[in-house]
Amino acid sequence: MDDMATDEDDDQLRVGNPERERAIALLNDALGDGYLDLTEFEERASVVYAARTRGELRAVLAHLPGSERLLPTRQVSSDPVTNPAAALELDASWTTVSRKGSWQVPPRLLVTGSMGTVDLDFSRAQFSQGEVDIDLQVSASTVKVKLGADQSFVAGDVVCGSWCSVKDKTGPPSISTGPVVRLRGSLSGWSTAVVKRV
């Protein structure tokens, strides 16, 4: 996407089932947390299913907590070497996405999707920096993170919607000078993130 694109241009982009499902998950969270009553939830949900553009989805979620999680921000460049802030994007919509073995870990991962599974095994991975930020924007999904003996885990900035959780089963690393894996972003619609050491 051109870095000079305006919000109005972005509002005209078409949406598909992954975006609609993420919007429904956010509405479910708002209903469960008491921000919407059942009638308003049903009205907004019918608009979501009929939505064709990002602008229409944004309007449905206006004035609700968590609405900023609807559409993750995309970076101009997807190459972490030329743009250190760029993220490797993994879309787990209705599928399983995995990274394992001796793979190159960029400074940031953006994980999106609905009804999917993400399996990230860092135990033998090669880190380009001493840490990685995993930005989650998932709904009704399972995220599995596996750490090596010397890797540390931090989950300070994860927003969990109704019926969502982050399960830390890591324990302390054997060496505290290894890479840091940091989880942040949001889980909605019965999503779970499980972090363990292999």
Side-chain angles (χ1 to χ4, degrees):
M1 185 170 89
D2 187 340
D3 60 345
M4 300 302 289
T6 66
D7 289 340
E8 291 175 3
D9 294 332
D10 189 57
D11 279 350
Q12 298 307 312
L13 288 175
R14 303 272 299 186
V15 293
N17 289 334
E19 292 87 0
R20 290 187 195 99
E21 287 161 9
R22 194 174 303 128
I24 291 294
L26 291 170
L27 289 177
N28 273 324
D29 289 347
L31 176 66
D33 293 339
Y35 293 103
L36 295 176
D37 61 31
L38 189 55
T39 301
E40 190 173 8
F41 169 82
E42 290 172 350
E43 290 169 355
R44 290 188 186 217
S46 66
V47 174
V48 166
Y49 288 120
R52 296 286 177 253
T53 67
R54 287 184 169 195
E56 291 169 335
L57 286 185
R58 283 191 179 107
V60 172
L61 294 170
H63 311 295
L64 290 177
S67 60
E68 72 282 353
R69 300 187 325 244
L70 174 64
L71 301 164
T73 304
R74 294 182 179 267
Q75 301 294 330
V76 174
S77 169
S78 61
D79 182 0
V81 175
T82 59
N83 183 358
L88 170 61
E89 297 183 20
L90 303 174
D91 182 6
S93 295
W94 295 89
T95 190
T96 297
V97 175
S98 66
R99 293 292 183 273
K100 57 186 175 179
S102 182
W103 62 289
Q104 187 67 36
V105 180
R108 184 169 169 250
L109 297 171
L110 174 60
V111 178
T112 62
S114 297
M115 304 295 290
T117 300
V118 179
D119 191 352
L120 301 173
D121 187 342
F122 293 102
S123 61
R124 294 189 297 137
Q126 306 299 313
F127 286 74
S128 60
Q129 295 184 6
E131 60 183 30
V132 59
D133 287 324
I134 306 172
D135 291 325
L136 300 175
Q137 300 292 332
V138 297
S139 172
S141 297
T142 300
V143 178
K144 302 173 187 176
V145 178
K146 298 171 186 162
L147 303 183
D150 66 334
Q151 297 162 359
S152 299
F153 171 67
V154 177
D157 298 325
V158 180
V159 177
C160 291
S162 302
W163 304 291
C164 296
S165 64
V166 175
K167 297 178 182 176
D168 181 357
K169 300 181 178 183
T170 59
S174 60
I175 304 170
S176 61
T177 58
V180 176
V181 175
R182 184 177 295 106
L183 209 61
R184 55 190 204 181
S186 67
L187 300 171
S188 60
W190 301 283
S191 292
T192 302
V194 180
V195 186
K196 64 182 182 178
R197 202 173 297 283
V198 294

